[in-house]
């Protein structure tokens, strides 16, 4: 899979850009705050229909356009080629008065976000993705949801339904507390929540097992064989009724072994989830919030048994996050039959020469990779000479040739 043409209009600091792109590696060099990361995020936006770090879609519209135009908009459009087809995806963000509207098109036909997510599959690593390890559990849940929605449409549908039911159930819990209502009114919503929640739990559980198998190898390579990484799923309720590990202490491999089996069937997980919900009715009414479910899950990154969220050095945390993102490439290829477009932002700056070569080896395995740097010397001459090079200056791209300099 690769993008053959990318067009940006009023997106972040890009007023207008149309770029023909080849398959294979593409390297963007520019000083900070010139638009390299914005371009990567635009590609990711086409893949997921959501901004990577924007709190609201309005933030994706060029700020000058927001100030100057009556009906400001931003548009991102791409032509994508896969093994089987070629298609166009376009997303337009329009501000109309105080509201923001998003128009999504596939080959010119208006679509829901659900119909477009995963048509273009991407894996993106940004320097701030260290927060995947160091940040709040919500960041890790969002990562799992973004990854799974690109490769599993049923997961995305279940997630959408689950979030709506969760909101309605939480509203009912607050209402029951105010008027001293009976917990039996929750039974219908318990069933609805458990129905889709079990689908999410099983998908997350099995996906993390697959990521773990590859991330272990990637991390050992990137750490020079010095460290062992494990990814450990921590659902808010355990379908197997196992005790939770104590992440405050180093864990030995034997303690993790019982957690490396595939999830039980969805039907069994649904029944277990339902039992947890019904047992917690009174406490949930008192607190006004649903205490169990995928919305309270977490993911742990363990290096030699030590939880990186709690104790890891910045270098260990960054390597764990990068290893996981690189493992995601293998997961997507295995699931979809297509290699994702790999987006790597300033990934080389903190790696030594040997680790840089290991990253390049993975770049060479995908159909297209877009990388950024502030220094051409982060990449060796051999890589630069077989790569499409662009210089980025204030939202403008210019093809660059070393042979002419």
């Amino acid at each position: 899979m690769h993008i053959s043409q990318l067009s940006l209009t009023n997106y972040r600091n890009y007023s207008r850009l149309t770029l023909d792109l080849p398959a294979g590696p593409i390297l963007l060099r520019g000083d900070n705050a010139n638009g390299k990361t914005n371009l990567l995020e635009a590609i990711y936006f086409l893949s997921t229909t959501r901004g990577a770090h924007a709190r609201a879609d309005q933030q994706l519209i060029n700020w000058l356009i927001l100030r100057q135009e009556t009906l400001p908009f931003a548009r991102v459009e791409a032509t994508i080629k896969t093994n089987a087809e070629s298609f166009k995806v376009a997303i337009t963000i329009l501000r109309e008065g105080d509201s923001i509207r998003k128009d999504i098109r596939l080959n010119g036909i208006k679509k829901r976000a659900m119909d477009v997510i995963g048509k273009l599959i991407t894996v993106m690593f940004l320097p701030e993705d260290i927060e995947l390890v160091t940040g709040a559990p919500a960041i890790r849940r969002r990562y799992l949801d973004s990854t799974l929605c690109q490769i599993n449409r049923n997961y995305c549908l279940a997630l959408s339904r689950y979030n709506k039911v969760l909101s309605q159930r939480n509203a009912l819990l607050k209402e029951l507390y105010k008027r001293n209502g009976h917990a039996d009114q929750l039974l219908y919503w318990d069933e609805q929540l458990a129905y889709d929640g079990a689908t999410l739990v099983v998908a997350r559980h099995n996906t993390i097992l697959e990521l773990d198998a590859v991330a272990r190898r990637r991390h050992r390579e990137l750490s020079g064989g010095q460290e062992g990484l494990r990814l450990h799923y921590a659902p808010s309720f355990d379908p197997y009724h196992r005790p939770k590990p104590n992440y405050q202490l180093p864990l030995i491999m034997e303690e993790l072994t019982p957690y490396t089996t595939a999830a039980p069937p969805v039907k069994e997980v649904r029944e277990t989830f339902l039992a947890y919900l019904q047992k917690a009715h009174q406490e949930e009414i008192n607190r006004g919030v649903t205490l169990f479910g995928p919305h309270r899950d977490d993911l742990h990154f363990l290096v030699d048994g030590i939880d990186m969220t709690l104790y890891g050095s910045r270098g260990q945390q960054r390597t764990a996050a990068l290893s996981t993102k690189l493992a995601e490439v293998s997961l997507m290829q295995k699931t979809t039959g297509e290699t994702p477009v790999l987006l790597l932002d300033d990934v080389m700056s903190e790696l030594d020469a040997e680790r840089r070569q290991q990253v390049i080896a993975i770049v060479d395995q995908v159909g297209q990779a877009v990388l950024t740097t502030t220094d051409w010397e982060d990449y060796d001459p051999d890589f630069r000479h077989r790569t499409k090079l662009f210089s980025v200056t204030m939202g403008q791209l210019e093809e660059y040739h070393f042979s002419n300099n």
Side-chain angles (χ1 to χ4, degrees):
M1 173 177 289
H2 73 278
I3 298 168
S4 62
Q5 188 177 75
L6 177 68
S7 297
L8 308 180
T9 305
N10 302 333
Y11 181 88
R12 296 285 201 180
N13 70 327
Y14 288 92
S15 297
R16 193 172 299 274
L17 174 72
T18 299
L19 197 63
D20 292 322
L21 297 172
I26 298 158
L27 180 58
L28 313 177
R29 196 221 74 87
D31 295 333
N32 292 328
N34 275 264
K36 304 186 304 298
T37 304
N38 289 344
L39 191 141
L40 299 190
E41 291 185 337
I43 296 173
Y44 183 81
F45 181 58
L46 284 171
S47 176
T48 64
T49 75
R50 297 175 59 182
H53 293 99
R55 297 188 188 91
D57 287 336
Q58 177 174 303
Q59 295 175 355
L60 302 179
I61 304 175
N62 184 293
W63 69 275
L64 289 175
I65 297 299
L66 281 172
R67 293 178 60 183
Q68 297 172 359
E69 299 292 333
T70 305
L71 295 173
F73 75 95
R75 179 180 293 119
V76 184
E77 184 174 0
T79 301
I80 298 120
K81 294 185 177 180
T82 72
N83 291 329
E85 61 178 333
S86 176
F87 56 90
K88 289 186 178 181
V89 176
I91 304 178
T92 305
I93 303 166
L94 307 98
R95 192 183 73 180
E96 299 173 336
D98 294 329
S99 63
I100 294 291
R101 181 165 64 88
K102 188 183 295 182
D103 180 87
I104 301 173
R105 306 271 170 165
L106 178 62
N107 290 329
I109 301 172
K110 189 174 179 64
K111 295 288 185 179
R112 302 174 302 166
M114 197 76 64
D115 301 321
V116 172
I117 294 172
K119 292 292 290 182
L120 167 65
I121 55 173
T122 60
V123 173
M124 181 168 69
F125 180 80
L126 307 177
E128 54 266 40
D129 282 340
I130 191 173
E131 290 187 5
L132 179 61
V133 178
T134 64
I139 295 173
R140 292 182 280 280
R141 290 193 294 269
R142 190 159 55 244
Y143 164 69
L144 291 172
D145 290 340
S146 176
T147 299
L148 277 158
C149 276
Q150 289 192 67
I151 60 177
N152 186 337
R153 177 177 170 80
N154 289 334
Y155 180 94
C156 213
L157 291 168
L159 178 66
S160 177
R161 292 192 299 264
Y162 180 88
N163 286 334
K164 290 176 183 176
V165 171
L166 178 64
S167 177
Q168 292 168 313
R169 189 177 187 274
N170 283 340
L172 177 59
L173 287 169
K174 293 179 175 66
E175 183 64 24
L176 291 175
Y177 179 78
K178 288 179 182 177
R179 55 183 174 82
N180 197 27
H182 199 282
D184 283 352
Q185 295 180 57
L186 291 167
L187 294 177
Y188 170 79
W189 297 107
D190 292 347
E191 293 278 356
Q192 298 300 307
L193 199 69
Y195 184 86
D196 286 311
T199 298
L200 303 183
V201 168
V202 170
R204 288 178 179 180
H205 182 113
N206 293 335
T207 296
I208 289 170
L209 287 182
E210 291 192 59
L211 278 174
D212 173 67
V214 182
R216 272 185 274 167
R217 297 198 302 270
R218 298 290 181 235
H219 190 88
R220 194 158 290 281
E221 293 164 356
L222 290 172
S223 66
Q226 299 301 307
E227 297 177 346
L229 171 70
R230 297 301 303 268
L231 305 183
H232 183 254
Y233 179 40
S236 66
F237 68 92
D238 187 354
Y240 285 114
H241 303 281
R242 296 165 296 196
K244 290 186 177 181
N246 183 356
Y247 299 104
Q248 299 287 334
L249 301 174
L251 299 173
I252 59 176
M253 293 300 296
E254 288 74 10
E255 293 178 274
L256 296 176
T257 300
Y259 298 86
T260 59
T261 55
V266 171
K267 183 179 178 181
E268 291 183 23
V269 176
R270 194 171 290 149
E271 292 170 353
T272 302
F273 188 7
L274 198 58
Y276 271 89
L277 289 171
Q278 293 175 355
K279 186 177 180 180
H281 275 173
Q282 193 55 56
E283 185 180 0
E284 290 183 328
I285 291 172
N286 293 339
R287 296 174 62 175
V289 66
T290 301
L291 297 176
F292 295 99
H295 62 288
R296 298 176 76 91
D297 287 352
D298 203 351
L299 168 64
H300 293 270
F301 298 80
L302 306 172
V303 172
D304 297 333
I306 297 173
D307 191 341
M308 290 295 98
T309 301
L310 300 174
Y311 301 112
S313 70
R314 182 173 178 83
Q316 287 176 311
Q317 292 163 340
R318 178 179 167 86
T319 303
L322 177 58
S323 300
T324 303
K325 289 297 186 86
L326 295 178
E328 195 182 333
V329 173
S330 299
L331 172 70
M332 290 189 170
Q333 183 175 14
K334 178 182 177 181
T335 306
T336 68
E338 297 277 355
T339 55
V341 176
L342 183 58
L343 309 169
L344 299 178
D345 187 28
D346 196 26
V347 73
M348 297 300 194
S349 60
E350 295 184 27
L351 299 179
D352 60 28
E354 181 179 351
R355 290 164 178 76
R356 289 178 180 183
Q357 287 303 314
Q358 291 159 359
V359 171
I360 293 302
I362 295 168
V363 166
D364 287 337
Q365 294 171 15
V366 301
Q368 187 177 58
V370 185
L371 310 95
T372 75
T373 184
T374 57
D375 187 351
W376 292 120
E377 297 302 317
D378 282 346
Y379 293 84
D380 63 42
D382 175 70
F383 181 78
R384 296 198 304 256
H385 282 95
R386 58 187 174 85
T387 298
K388 188 78 168 180
L389 306 176
F390 289 97
S391 180
V392 184
T393 306
M394 299 304 293
Q396 299 291 324
L397 268 69
E398 182 178 351
E399 192 169 348
Y400 190 88
H401 298 279
F402 268 92
S403 57
N404 297 333
N405 291 273

